[in-house]
Amino acid sequence: MKTPKIADELAAHAHGRVPRELRRRQVLMEARALFVERGYHGASMNELARRVGVSKPVIYDLAESKEQLFADVMAMVGEELTHTLTAAVLVEPELGRRLHAGILAFLRYVDAHRAQWSALLTSLSASGSPGGPALADLQRAQVLLVAQLIAGDGDALDPVVAEALAQAINAAVERTALWWGDHPELSAEALAELLTDFLSPGLLALSKRRAPPGAPRGPKKRT
């Protein structure tokens, strides 16, 4: 599935050698569509080569392996999510509004890419799937991003506390987004309001903590 931009770039090289960087972007876009359509195990490198219009050795030269290609597709999804969440959250100066903006942006992304989201997560959770590390990398990156976004530039929130809160927020929102697939009667806006009402009191209270739970909060008194 070629985007218009890639299609235009490819057309400019119709009678010549396609640059390696452009061909790799084409491979990634076609691989993304193929994984969504057929899942990890159902997607074949032969089919990918046919869609791209090159030989299978060219695909392996550009992508190394099917597992690496899947990891690269997940990294692409992660970059899109990072851009989407950052753009939504950074315009909000107040922590509660940042939380709402981030949840709403995530849910709108999932809604706009519902088939992709379901197919990729199904591939990752399938028994024996080699995509586990790709999912772990994506989730880790999102946790660090959310921790940074909820802390804000001007706050002195302890990094460990911020990461703990980000883990809890991500887990709640991701699981709810999966559940949402069976409840299309709820809009992204309604679900974002619900999750914000549920999560914001704890976030606002714990955001004042400047040290990890259980850590000493001052010098011990001498006896």
Side-chain angles (χ1 to χ4, degrees):
M1 183 173 61
K2 301 170 187 173
T3 64
K5 181 178 180 181
I6 290 181
D8 292 343
E9 291 183 70
L10 290 169
H13 299 278
H15 303 291
R17 183 180 177 85
V18 175
R20 182 181 179 86
E21 185 275 336
L22 174 58
R23 184 67 82 190
R24 175 167 166 75
R25 280 195 286 131
Q26 182 194 13
V27 168
L28 284 174
M29 294 301 296
E30 294 287 358
R32 180 174 181 166
L34 188 58
F35 285 132
V36 168
E37 290 174 23
R38 303 188 182 180
Y40 180 86
H41 292 291
S44 74
M45 300 296 261
N46 282 329
E47 174 63 14
L48 178 59
R50 186 192 68 77
R51 293 188 181 193
V52 175
V54 298
S55 66
K56 190 162 71 169
V58 171
I59 297 293
Y60 277 106
D61 178 58
L62 292 169
E64 297 183 20
S65 67
K66 182 178 174 181
E67 183 176 354
Q68 182 59 50
L69 187 58
F70 189 80
D72 291 342
V73 168
M74 292 302 295
M76 182 190 302
V77 172
E79 288 175 6
E80 289 179 359
L81 270 172
T82 295
H83 175 77
T84 298
L85 295 180
T86 302
V89 170
L90 289 185
V91 298
E92 298 289 350
E94 189 268 321
L95 181 57
R97 298 308 304 169
R98 289 205 298 267
L99 175 65
H100 178 267
I103 292 173
L104 181 58
F106 177 80
L107 293 175
R108 283 176 171 170
Y109 179 90
V110 170
D111 195 33
H113 303 84
R114 194 171 291 277
Q116 164 193 280
W117 191 255
S118 176
L120 292 180
L121 288 186
T122 298
S123 292
L124 288 168
S125 60
S127 178
S129 172
L135 177 60
D137 289 344
L138 175 61
Q139 290 179 325
R140 176 64 177 167
Q142 292 305 305
V143 165
L144 294 178
L145 172 66
V146 172
Q148 178 183 0
L149 292 176
I150 63 174
D153 293 332
D155 298 329
L157 185 62
D158 184 274
V160 176
V161 173
E163 187 170 337
L165 296 177
Q167 288 277 8
I169 291 168
N170 279 14
V173 176
E174 286 176 9
R175 292 300 302 175
T176 304
L178 288 174
W179 169 87
W180 186 30
D182 295 325
H183 296 273
E185 69 274 14
L186 287 174
S187 67
E189 291 74 16
L191 197 53
E193 289 290 343
L194 181 66
L195 286 168
T196 301
D197 288 345
F198 174 65
L199 293 168
S200 60
L203 175 62
L204 292 173
L206 293 174
S207 66
K208 307 303 181 183
R209 192 189 293 270
R210 296 296 181 254
R217 301 199 175 199
K220 294 182 179 179
K221 295 182 179 179
R222 294 184 179 181
T223 56

